[in-house]
Amino acid sequence: MKCSSLMLLVLLLGACGGFLPHPQQPYRFTAASADGDPADVVARHLASEGYSPANVDKEVGLVQTQWQDTGLGYGFVQDTPATLVRRFTVTIARTANGNDILLRADLQRCPKGRFTIDSTGVRGPCVAAEEHYEQNQQELDGLGARLRTALNGK
């Protein structure tokens, strides 16, 4: 087998196995209007899942978790191996039918050992990322499904 054919096979197998990054698919759903503020429900649920809220703005309908280093290697930044750093953002749009909810992951590639995370955000030479691995998408989808249950009571 030629070297180029072998490389193509490895890339195809990697894509099928979730080893290559792909565009994020935010999780969307409509939640019935419930008693209490949906931002409070979202914040409590995220905290119960281990994602501490860093920003809750009820007027705007925005809940953001603290940034966390996922520990997953993600290419290079400034010739240094990078890790994927993430926070979840939930937007809540009130409608006549309830609340339209959008859950997405905000992603950054940060050079290992050259960044810090504090209460105000990520500090260091990080680069925004629009793609992530399949396991990250599965985590986002699972969190979205559990959030849907928490908001709809089912």
Side-chain angles (χ1 to χ4, degrees), residues 112-136:
K112 292 181 181 178
R114 296 182 47 212
F115 73 97
T116 59
I117 299 173
D118 62 27
S119 61
T120 60
V122 180
R123 305 269 181 252
C126 300
V127 177
E130 297 297 325
E131 298 180 324
H132 61 174
Y133 297 119
E134 180 61 31
Q135 76 182 64
N136 297 101

Side-chain angles (χ1 to χ4, degrees), residues 29 31-46 56-63 90-95 98-101 147 150-152:
F29 63 95
S33 295
D35 295 335
D37 192 294
D40 288 335
V41 175
V42 167
R44 280 193 309 274
H45 186 76
L46 289 172
V56 179
D57 188 330
K58 295 178 185 181
E59 286 190 32
V60 174
L62 180 74
V63 179
V90 179
T91 55
I92 304 161
R94 288 164 174 65
T95 69
N99 297 295
D100 288 340
I101 309 295
L147 192 57
L151 284 164
N152 284 321

